[in-house]
Amino acid sequence: MKLLILLIVLSSIFCREHRPMAGGKFKPDQNDQGLGQAIAYAKQNFQTSCAGTSGYSWDKILNVEQQIVNGSNYYISALLKNGDKTKNVKIVVYMPASPPSIRITSCQVF
């Protein structure tokens, strides 16, 4: 019985890294279909949602986190370029549980 309890405690400690807390942010699986759709949507639509990015093009992704709450929020940090000038953006793409109403819910430009 003590061995079973010890096994349960140890497995919860070691598996904690792979199980996101309810409503918490976590790194999405790179093979996640929703992640690919969210990134593609952000690349195509950032200029209409992010003020001050006219003339800038998508350069690279710096970080991505996911939060599951009635669908998925993808927090995408990216670098935009316009010649020698760069801007960092943090875009939140909401993908509801029942597509196709994917949308950018916020954009911060740094």
Side-chain angles (χ1 to χ4, degrees):
M1 184 66 166
K2 289 180 183 179
L3 183 60
L4 179 62
I5 293 171
L6 179 63
L7 182 61
I8 292 171
V9 169
L10 288 175
S11 68
S12 69
I13 291 170
F14 290 119
C15 295
R16 186 180 319 177
E17 294 295 319
H18 304 288
R19 290 182 293 144
M21 294 176 58
K25 293 181 188 176
F26 61 95
K27 294 278 185 195
D29 181 356
Q30 294 301 314
N31 297 322
D32 183 321
Q33 242 184 344
L35 173 62
Q37 291 174 348
I39 291 171
Y41 188 84
K43 283 182 179 180
Q44 292 171 357
N45 297 286
F46 75 89
Q47 289 184 336
T48 58
S49 299
C50 303
T53 60
S54 180
Y56 282 80
S57 60
W58 191 275
D59 185 38
K60 64 181 176 180
I61 296 170
L62 302 174
N63 188 37
V64 178
E65 292 182 313
Q66 182 179 7
Q67 180 182 35
I68 299 175
V69 180
N70 297 327
S72 289
N73 286 312
Y74 291 94
Y75 295 81
I76 304 168
S77 296
L79 184 67
L80 306 178
K81 276 196 162 187
N82 183 358
D84 292 345
K85 297 184 269 183
T86 60
K87 289 188 178 187
N88 288 330
V89 294
K90 185 164 188 175
I91 300 170
V92 181
V93 177
Y94 175 67
M95 186 172 300
S98 56
S101 54
I102 183 173
R103 63 188 177 273
I104 294 175
T105 58
S106 73
C107 180
Q108 296 174 325
V109 181
F110 305 98

